[in-house]
């Protein structure tokens, strides 16, 4: 009997098949080791030939495209997993006759604090923002604190808000809303925020003393108003309980950090779209 092979271009593909070593096997076992296929089939979508024989455990390479510019996140992937690394960083340098402020804010950081504002209590609060928001918050400020802390406190808030604005970019794919209530001993503070692009602050803290250390407690509201104005954020702060001024203010910064962390994180169901029925979130 003759074996007829069609006159078409072919390729030979090795297919190792183990020889049956059982004593009951035939003395002449069939051990085919070559497969003759027309070349037109080697690219068939149901066949996966390339590299599978040489690398049987090799996983397919999945390419992900994203682009970031320092200070502005230009592209948001449709989905995020543990392998995605997207840095959203805002850097700001603000210089006036009263202050010189530099801020770098990494929203996808590890909670690294490095603040030196010349106002020790404000540095302590910025450390809370970094630690509980898991942001890298690096602030360097020199100001006319020999007069008072007002200008430095304000300009640090303005610079942080601007850095947040730049780091958020087009705000595609984020949760947008954040809500958190933080206790600190007897104090309890509730913070709700919306990264809406519309600046608004509702502030309701009853801080019983005029100062914590050398820090004027009136500056707490002024700090958050500055952040709101430049970031385009709607922010509501409510004190639910508290008697100790330090505890009330620190609970506020912790609640703000956690609410902001919630708002800037990605919603996997949104798949990279803007979280607004208008289709855009902009700083108005």
């Amino acid at each position: 009997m003759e074996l007829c092979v069609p006159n078409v271009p072919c390729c030979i593909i090795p297919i190792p098949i183990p020889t049956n070593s059982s004593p009951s096997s035939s003395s002449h076992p069939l051990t085919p080791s070559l497969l003759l296929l027309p070349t037109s089939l080697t690219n068939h979508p149901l066949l996966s030939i390339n590299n599978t024989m040489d690398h049987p455990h090799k996983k397919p390479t999945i390419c992900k495209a994203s682009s970031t510019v320092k200070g502005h996140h230009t592209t948001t992937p449709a989905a995020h997993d543990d392998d995605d690394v997207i840095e959203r960083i805002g850097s700001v340098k603000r210089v006036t006759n009263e202050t010189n402020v530099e801020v770098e804010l990494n929203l996808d950081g590890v909670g690294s604090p490095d603040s030196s504002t010349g106002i020790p209590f404000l540095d302590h609060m910025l450390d809370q923002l970094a630690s509980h928001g898991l942001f890298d918050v690096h602030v360097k400020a020199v100001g006319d604190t020999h007069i008072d802390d007002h200008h430095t406190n304000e300009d640090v808030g303005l610079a942080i808000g601007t850095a947040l604005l730049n780091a958020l970019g087009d705000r595609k794919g984020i949760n947008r809303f954040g809500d958190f209530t933080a206790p600190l001993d007897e104090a309890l503070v509730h913070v709700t925020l919306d990264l809406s692009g519309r600046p608004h602050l509702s502030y309701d803290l009853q801080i019983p003393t005029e100062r914590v250390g050398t820090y004027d407690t009136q500056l707490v509201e002024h700090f958050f108003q500055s952040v709101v104005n430049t970031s385009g954020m709607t922010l509501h702060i409510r004190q639910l309980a508290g008697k100790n001024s330090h505890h009330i203010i620190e609970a506020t910064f912790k609640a703000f950090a956690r609410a902001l962390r919630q708002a800037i994180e990605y919603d996997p169901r949104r798949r990279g779209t803007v979280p607004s029925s208008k289709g855009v979130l902009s700083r108005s």
Side-chain angles (χ1 to χ4, degrees), residues 164 168 171 174-179 191-200 228 231-236 256 259-260 263-264 275-276 278 281:
L164 174 60
L168 283 172
R171 310 187 188 202
I174 63 171
N175 288 318
R176 174 180 166 178
F177 299 97
D179 184 277
V191 170
T192 298
L193 60 86
D194 175 12
L195 298 176
S196 60
R198 299 182 301 274
H200 174 81
V228 162
S231 66
M233 175 193 303
T234 297
L235 176 62
H236 290 259
F256 175 71
L260 183 58
I264 63 96
S276 171
K278 297 189 299 292
L281 284 175

Side-chain angles (χ1 to χ4, degrees), residues 49-145:
I49 297 172
N50 293 339
N51 297 326
T52 57
M53 299 303 296
D54 295 333
H55 305 282
H57 302 294
K58 184 177 180 180
K59 295 181 179 179
T61 300
I62 301 174
C63 298
K64 299 173 184 176
S66 65
S67 108
T68 38
V69 178
K70 192 172 184 181
H72 186 75
H73 183 192
T74 56
T75 301
T76 305
H80 302 273
D81 59 32
D82 293 338
D83 294 330
D84 286 322
V85 178
I86 300 172
E87 288 188 339
R88 294 171 292 175
I89 301 174
S91 297
V92 175
K93 184 175 177 65
R94 177 185 173 87
V95 180
T96 71
N97 291 334
E98 298 165 340
T99 64
N100 187 329
V101 180
E102 294 184 49
V103 170
E104 181 171 281
L105 175 64
N106 184 354
L107 298 181
D108 303 296
V110 294
S112 168
D114 183 15
S115 294
S116 177
T117 65
I119 307 173
F121 186 76
L122 181 59
D123 292 345
H124 180 46
M125 294 302 103
L126 294 179
D127 288 351
Q128 307 310 308
L129 178 61
S131 176
H132 296 282
L134 288 179
F135 311 129
D136 296 342
V137 182
H138 300 167
V139 180
K140 303 297 179 188
V142 177
D144 54 1
T145 52

